[in-house]
Amino acid sequence: MRRLLVHFYVFLLLAIIGLGWSLEQVWRDYQPEIPPWFSALEQSVLTLTQQAESPEALQSTLDLSVLVVGDGRIGWPETEQQRLDRGEALTVFSADQSLYLYVKKGEEVWRIGPIADGTPSSNYWYHILFFVLLALLTTLWLRPLARDLRALESSLNTFAKDPARSLHLPKRSLVQGLSQSFERMRLQILHLLGLQRELTSAVSHDLRTPLARMKFILEMQDSPEFREALRDNVQEMETLVDTLLDYARLEGQQEFLELSAVNLSELAENLAEKLNPLPGPEISLNVPETLIWQCDGHYMERAIQNLIQNARRHAQGRVSVTLERRAKTVMIHIDDDGPGIAEHERERILKPFVRLEPSRSRHSGGVGLGLTIVQRIMEWHHGHMVIGTSPLGGARFTLTLPDH
């Protein structure tokens, strides 16, 4: 909108200046001609002015109004000022076409007249022409703006019926910024609608499974084994609901990063110490003694932990974490010796609720949100995640953090 206001005021200023200058040139060209007898009158007035001792004396002699105007109220162009300095008289028509003579007397300039009265109504066309031309130029300026606003209004009106329809305006459009904001909003709404469909599908499938098992257990005869199984299913549902709510909160961006100097080496060592006692391959570290970087420690720990748990789930016996510092980036590699990820599956697996396993059993782990959450955290840090082939033979997940 700032661009629109600046463009409008610049246009209006240039239009007024341009029209005023152009019409003034026309006005000068159409000034009334000086009567032939005026030359003799001008010489007589010059002679009488040189002889007069005061404006009052000249006024009584000529029976015309004489005013002193040489006190700075009139700024003469250079050519007119030179003529006055040479003792010549200047003939000037006023706005109402009255005729005046300006004569320099000593350090003063005297205005004599009006010598001939004008016709005030004879120049009304000048003002009418000015406003007509200004209205015409304003209309030409507003026409493309009105066209683009109508296109934007049409897109807003049809959005509910056809949300996939995009809005394209010319790059020079004055509402280009507004259309880009609308386009970002449209894409965000489409993304949220897709997320809602995926979330509904995942919840309907993943919650029905433990609920069905719980109903079956409740129908069975009570025993310690059944109570334990019931407790496991309740815990599975809690984990699932917490994960889904966590992802929804991340998508809604209800939390913001708190950047600070984080020792990534210490963070990796703490994660290895916390996760190694759990079932799965041991985590080996290849990190420098100290690596300080600006990031959000809580979310970076969450991202690295998700990748380590994913690697341990698919590894055959080896998982490693490597920190590598370059000129303006830090790279975090999480490697495993599992089956790896096919190249054509690497983009798809980053989408929400996508899992490479054909089933959704609780033993295969997760609901397909771990990698998506990691990717969102990296986007918040203006970094990125790349999936490749590990030197260990399995998958390699690389997080790249830029320098803030």
Side-chain angles (χ1 to χ4, degrees):
M1 297 304 293
R2 181 182 300 176
R3 177 188 174 191
L4 177 61
L5 290 176
V6 171
H7 196 282
F8 173 73
Y9 284 120
V10 170
F11 160 79
L12 196 60
L13 180 63
L14 293 179
I16 292 175
I17 294 176
L19 286 176
W21 181 84
S22 301
L23 291 178
E24 178 153 358
Q25 301 305 312
V26 175
W27 173 262
R28 289 181 178 179
D29 292 342
Y30 283 92
Q31 287 288 330
E33 294 183 1
I34 299 176
W37 52 264
F38 193 78
S39 297
L41 177 62
E42 181 179 328
Q43 293 299 323
S44 299
V45 169
L46 282 174
T47 301
L48 292 174
T49 300
Q50 298 301 326
Q51 297 174 356
E53 296 181 357
S54 65
E56 293 78 10
L58 180 62
Q59 181 172 325
S60 62
T61 303
L62 295 175
D63 197 21
L64 293 173
S65 175
V66 179
L67 295 177
V68 178
V69 295
D71 56 358
R73 286 178 292 175
I74 296 181
W76 296 101
E78 184 178 355
T79 55
E80 281 78 1
Q81 186 65 50
Q82 291 175 354
R83 290 181 59 189
L84 286 173
D85 294 339
R86 291 196 299 266
E88 299 179 14
L90 292 182
T91 305
V92 177
F93 285 95
S94 67
D96 62 356
Q97 303 300 306
S98 297
L99 186 61
Y100 292 87
L101 274 179
Y102 288 83
V103 181
K104 189 171 183 180
K105 175 71 172 178
E107 296 298 325
E108 298 178 340
V109 176
W110 293 0
R111 189 189 73 176
I112 304 169
I115 298 174
D117 293 334
T119 54
S121 61
S122 63
N123 66 337
Y124 68 91
W125 62 268
Y126 174 86
H127 303 286
I128 294 177
L129 181 60
F130 176 83
F131 288 109
V132 168
L133 291 177
L134 183 61
L136 179 61
L137 289 177
T138 305
T139 302
L140 293 176
W141 182 84
L142 288 174
R143 185 175 180 180
L145 177 62
R147 177 201 61 204
D148 295 339
L149 289 176
R150 283 195 300 268
L152 181 59
E153 180 185 16
S154 176
S155 296
L156 290 172
N157 291 333
T158 59
F159 177 75
K161 298 180 181 178
D162 185 15
R165 177 186 173 187
S166 60
L167 174 65
H168 297 288
L169 294 181
K171 291 184 178 180
R172 295 184 178 180
S173 173
L174 296 177
V175 292
Q176 180 68 20
L178 189 61
S179 68
Q180 291 175 350
S181 299
F182 168 73
E183 187 67 12
R184 287 193 296 269
M185 179 198 69
R186 184 186 69 84
L187 294 176
Q188 181 67 12
I189 292 176
L190 289 178
H191 171 71
L192 293 176
L193 289 175
L195 175 63
Q196 181 187 26
R197 288 192 295 267
E198 294 169 346
L199 187 62
T200 303
S201 175
V203 170
S204 64
H205 187 287
D206 288 340
L207 286 183
R208 285 177 185 274
T209 302
L211 281 174
R213 291 197 300 264
M214 292 170 65
K215 289 180 180 179
F216 175 75
I217 294 172
L218 290 174
E219 296 295 331
M220 303 296 290
Q221 186 177 2
D222 188 19
S223 68
E225 293 80 6
F226 290 150
R227 285 196 297 272
E228 184 66 26
L230 185 61
R231 188 179 299 110
D232 291 342
N233 282 279
V234 172
Q235 185 177 2
E236 180 184 347
M237 289 186 63
E238 287 179 346
T239 302
L240 173 62
V241 171
D242 288 343
T243 303
L244 294 175
L245 292 178
D246 197 14
Y247 178 69
R249 177 167 47 83
L250 287 172
E251 280 294 324
Q253 296 185 355
Q254 295 177 4
E255 297 209 18
F256 301 92
L257 295 181
E258 296 182 2
L259 299 179
S260 61
V262 177
N263 189 341
L264 295 178
S265 298
E266 183 179 352
L267 188 149
E269 291 170 356
N270 291 339
L271 279 175
E273 183 179 352
K274 180 176 69 173
L275 297 177
N276 271 332
L278 301 178
E282 184 176 355
I283 305 165
S284 62
L285 299 178
N286 181 18
V287 300
E289 182 176 351
T290 302
L291 201 166
I292 306 295
W293 206 254
Q294 286 288 327
C295 62
D296 188 302
H298 168 71
Y299 281 111
M300 282 310 302
E301 180 180 6
R302 174 76 176 278
I304 298 173
Q305 178 174 319
N306 280 8
L307 294 180
I308 292 177
Q309 290 175 332
N310 180 75
R312 298 186 81 200
R313 188 179 302 121
H314 297 92
Q316 296 180 1
R318 299 175 63 189
V319 172
S320 69
V321 178
T322 304
L323 297 183
E324 180 183 357
R325 182 169 187 170
R326 297 190 177 178
K328 294 184 178 181
T329 59
V330 164
M331 304 183 74
I332 306 171
H333 306 289
I334 290 87
D335 298 290
D336 64 71
D337 61 349
I341 301 174
E343 189 171 350
H344 66 278
E345 297 281 6
R346 292 173 183 173
E347 289 293 332
R348 189 173 72 90
I349 199 175
L350 297 179
K351 296 180 180 179
F353 309 106
V354 173
R355 295 165 55 189
L356 299 183
E357 295 88 353
S359 67
R360 284 180 177 265
S361 68
R362 59 177 176 169
H363 302 291
S364 59
V367 293
L369 288 175
L371 296 181
T372 308
I373 291 175
V374 174
Q375 186 181 39
R376 180 68 66 243
I377 292 173
M378 295 309 299
E379 289 176 357
W380 283 11
H381 284 84
H382 303 289
H384 60 274
M385 176 173 63
V386 176
I387 304 175
T389 302
S390 169
L392 302 180
R396 161 172 278 194
F397 290 85
T398 299
L399 305 180
T400 301
L401 284 174
D403 188 8
H404 289 276

